[in-house]
Amino acid sequence: MKSFFSALLVLCLAGCASNSPAPETPPTASSPIFLVRDPVFLLCEAEGLVAHDAARQALLFDQSQADMLANATGDASLTALINEIFRQAREEGLKEHAKFGAAQFYRCVEREGLIQVRNPNAAVCLARTDLVFFLNADRIRGKTPEEANQGLKKYLQSASPAVYPHALVDQLTPMAYRIQNEDDHYDLRQFVFQTCLVPEDWKAWWNSTQQSKVE
């Protein structure tokens, strides 16, 4: 993970923070020094990402409820999540997978008492992780980085540039083409989510890792 993050920083995603929602309120003296490495934050982040991914399959790619449940392989929590996605789509008109993922993230935040998270823009930050998903899919299909970059920008023509900045697509393209396994894929999605939702805390954590190397 560290070597992959080092490669990411060489390629520089500092601009991700400049395109992000308002920075998170700095942690208090009683909170963990680095929110982005707090196990409770990582738990809620994971719940949000799993919910986001499942909702994307259902709402964006139109995978059926039956097929998704069959692939859940008896996982009770995942089964409940899938059923909730389709219930909300049917009864409440749910259309945006990022909003569903964000709702699950904030539900975890409230459940776990993670009061440090006050940024309300998790839906935007989760939506941006889709960029990693699409770029990685094109990499796997054998497209060149240039083809993937231009194809994604064309796909996003009608989308809000505030949510999907083209500059972010440019920054993520070479990073996505360094992915070698599922851990790298998850690391990069974490990177996008964290630098969007809590950029100041993420930068403080990263700077601390660099300082420790010097010492």
Side-chain angles (χ1 to χ4, degrees):
M1 179 174 172
K2 289 183 178 179
S3 62
F4 188 66
F5 266 126
S6 297
L8 296 181
L9 265 293
V10 168
L11 288 164
C12 186
L13 193 58
C16 190
S18 66
N19 290 318
S20 299
E24 175 66 37
T25 301
T28 64
S30 61
S31 67
I33 296 175
F34 301 117
L35 180 63
V36 296
R37 286 301 169 265
D38 180 353
V40 177
F41 176 84
L42 295 174
L43 170 67
C44 293
E45 177 185 60
E47 289 190 16
L49 285 168
V50 168
H52 174 76
D53 289 354
R56 181 176 56 220
Q57 288 301 116
L59 303 175
L60 188 62
F61 296 133
D62 295 322
Q63 187 172 359
S64 72
Q65 186 173 4
D67 284 347
M68 291 185 67
L69 289 173
N71 292 329
T73 61
D75 185 315
S77 60
L78 183 55
T79 295
L81 185 71
I82 293 167
N83 286 333
E84 181 62 14
I85 292 168
F86 283 91
R87 185 198 69 77
Q88 289 189 26
R90 183 175 59 252
E91 299 178 10
E92 302 174 15
L94 175 69
K95 296 182 183 299
E96 298 180 34
H97 57 289
K99 286 187 177 180
F100 182 82
Q104 300 303 310
F105 171 75
Y106 288 122
R107 183 173 289 111
C108 176
V109 164
E110 182 176 357
R111 183 189 74 226
E112 300 295 332
L114 196 64
I115 60 173
Q116 301 94 319
V117 176
R118 296 184 176 88
N119 191 327
N121 294 297
V124 171
C125 299
L126 285 170
R128 290 181 179 182
T129 68
D130 283 339
L131 301 178
V132 178
F133 173 84
F134 286 115
L135 289 168
N136 188 51
D138 280 346
R139 179 190 66 82
I140 292 171
R141 283 194 288 264
K143 291 188 177 181
T144 66
E146 293 74 18
E147 289 171 337
N149 179 281
Q150 293 305 309
L152 184 53
K153 287 179 179 177
K154 184 177 181 180
Y155 176 73
L156 295 171
Q157 279 180 343
S158 61
S160 169
V163 178
Y164 303 109
H166 280 197
L168 182 56
V169 178
D170 290 337
Q171 291 165 334
L172 286 175
T173 299
M175 297 177 182
Y177 273 75
R178 285 176 174 257
I179 291 173
Q180 297 182 7
N181 51 49
E182 284 301 315
D183 286 343
D184 288 349
H185 187 210
Y186 190 80
D187 286 348
L188 186 51
R189 290 191 297 155
Q190 274 192 306
F191 184 58
V192 172
F193 181 73
Q194 294 176 6
T195 55
C196 173
L197 190 74
V198 285
E200 296 305 320
D201 188 83
W202 189 91
K203 285 190 285 188
W205 166 74
W206 178 256
N207 288 339
S208 76
T209 67
Q210 301 310 292
Q211 182 63 33
S212 64
K213 290 178 181 179
V214 173
E215 295 173 352

